[in-house]
Amino acid sequence: MSKLLLRSLGAFPLFLVLSIQAQTTTFYVSDIDASHGEVIEVPLSVEEFREVAAAQLSIKWNPEQLEFLGVSDLALNATEDGNFNLRRSEAGTLSYSFIDPTLQGYELQNGSELYHLRFKVLAQAGDEAEVLFAEQPTRCVVGNPQGTEKAAEFVGGTVRVIAGEVSNPPAEVQIQINPNPFSQTAQIVLDVPARVSADLNVYELEGRLVYNKIIDLDAGRNLLPISAADLPAAGTYVVELSAGELRLTRKFVFTGRK
């Protein structure tokens, strides 16, 4: 990371002021499926990215499960040398920061990707490798053009390691949320190899059940809507599909009704 950028960040008061804006900007790592030995790109995306003049964050992973290969597809005119601290990447940690030199603030469409993390998957089939936000070596914080700290949420993701090639996965149940995060409606995408009746539950992270529905799934792809009206408040939730001994879960973020 350039000394100039560090000096700029050090001079910018957003890291010293505790005033928080109501609008929440979300940074999130997408969940993806991969196979052992595959080289993957894990995107870091944003939601409600408005009037963002500066930010800094740290990401961590288990280097015994994911071998870091670099960053790519950088947005906001970022560079590997200027905006990233990769010195601890072999130990499973990197930090990233940026500042708008005009202090006008950046704005990106929901779902925009700031960059991709490139990994080689070392984990074995059946493992789940988490890519999480951390407070070390750099605290996660976002600032606006007025120099105050914006409300922000940082949601990690999971690399689920499956058997075989991802381009031709085995016939098994899979669950995804699209888009994730969302503010109004989303689709729960369920791929099942045969007809099945299942329970669909949504929980708060603390474990409280907030949504339940018994569903009959057809073989193949099923699309189930979920909306703001189904959830009590903005936050991170877990959707669970259960049928007999089968139990699959996915995290998702509801950013709040607009």
Side-chain angles (χ1 to χ4, degrees):
M1 186 180 301
S2 69
K3 293 182 179 179
L4 177 61
L5 180 60
L6 287 173
R7 288 199 296 271
S8 299
L9 287 171
F12 197 63
L14 73 91
F15 302 106
L16 303 177
V17 181
L18 297 180
S19 174
I20 305 295
Q21 287 191 331
Q23 187 184 72
T24 300
T25 299
T26 301
F27 294 72
Y28 64 98
V29 178
S30 298
D31 293 332
I32 67 171
D33 293 339
S35 58
H36 173 75
E38 183 182 2
V39 174
I40 60 173
E41 295 200 356
V42 179
L44 187 149
S45 305
V46 292
E47 190 91 359
E48 299 301 329
F49 194 94
R50 300 187 181 94
E51 296 186 342
V52 176
Q56 62 180 31
L57 55 88
S58 295
I59 290 179
K60 65 179 182 179
W61 61 90
N62 183 346
E64 295 182 357
Q65 293 183 310
L66 299 171
E67 179 186 353
F68 181 72
L69 300 179
V71 292
S72 62
D73 300 319
L74 310 182
L76 304 180
N77 298 315
T79 66
E80 184 173 319
D81 292 337
N83 297 89
F84 292 86
N85 182 347
L86 303 176
R87 291 194 297 270
R88 302 184 185 180
S89 60
E90 290 187 0
T93 302
L94 69 78
S95 57
Y96 163 75
S97 61
F98 65 83
I99 184 169
D100 176 9
T102 70
L103 297 185
Q104 297 300 306
Y106 294 114
E107 181 170 340
L108 296 173
Q109 294 183 349
N110 287 345
S112 294
E113 298 174 352
L114 290 183
Y115 55 84
H116 289 182
L117 298 164
R118 297 182 66 246
F119 295 108
K120 180 177 180 180
V121 179
L122 305 180
Q124 301 297 320
D127 291 341
E128 291 190 347
E130 293 184 309
V131 181
L132 304 175
F133 291 92
E135 292 301 303
Q136 295 292 335
T138 301
R139 185 170 74 92
C140 296
V141 66
V142 181
N144 66 16
Q146 290 74 46
T148 57
E149 187 175 327
K150 287 176 59 67
E153 186 172 17
F154 301 86
V155 183
T158 301
V159 178
R160 189 171 72 103
V161 186
I162 66 174
E165 297 293 332
V166 175
S167 59
N168 184 25
E172 60 179 17
V173 179
Q174 299 186 35
I175 182 171
Q176 301 287 338
I177 312 293
N178 185 34
N180 184 14
F182 72 92
S183 60
Q184 293 292 335
T185 61
Q187 287 184 325
I188 302 172
V189 183
L190 296 161
D191 291 300
V192 296
R195 289 180 58 87
V196 64
S197 180
D199 282 322
L200 185 70
N201 301 313
V202 176
Y203 297 92
E204 294 177 333
L205 285 183
E206 295 78 11
R208 184 171 73 92
L209 178 67
V210 298
Y211 179 85
N212 169 261
K213 188 175 183 179
I214 299 175
I215 53 176
D216 292 319
L217 301 174
D218 293 323
R221 174 151 294 189
N222 297 260
L223 303 178
L224 305 174
I226 188 167
S227 71
D230 298 319
L231 303 170
T236 302
Y237 294 86
V238 175
V239 59
E240 175 193 74
L241 179 76
S242 60
E245 296 182 356
L246 172 69
R247 180 178 175 272
L248 291 177
T249 62
R250 283 289 187 190
K251 291 181 298 184
F252 68 90
V253 176
F254 171 50
T255 59
R257 302 168 182 83
K258 300 297 183 289

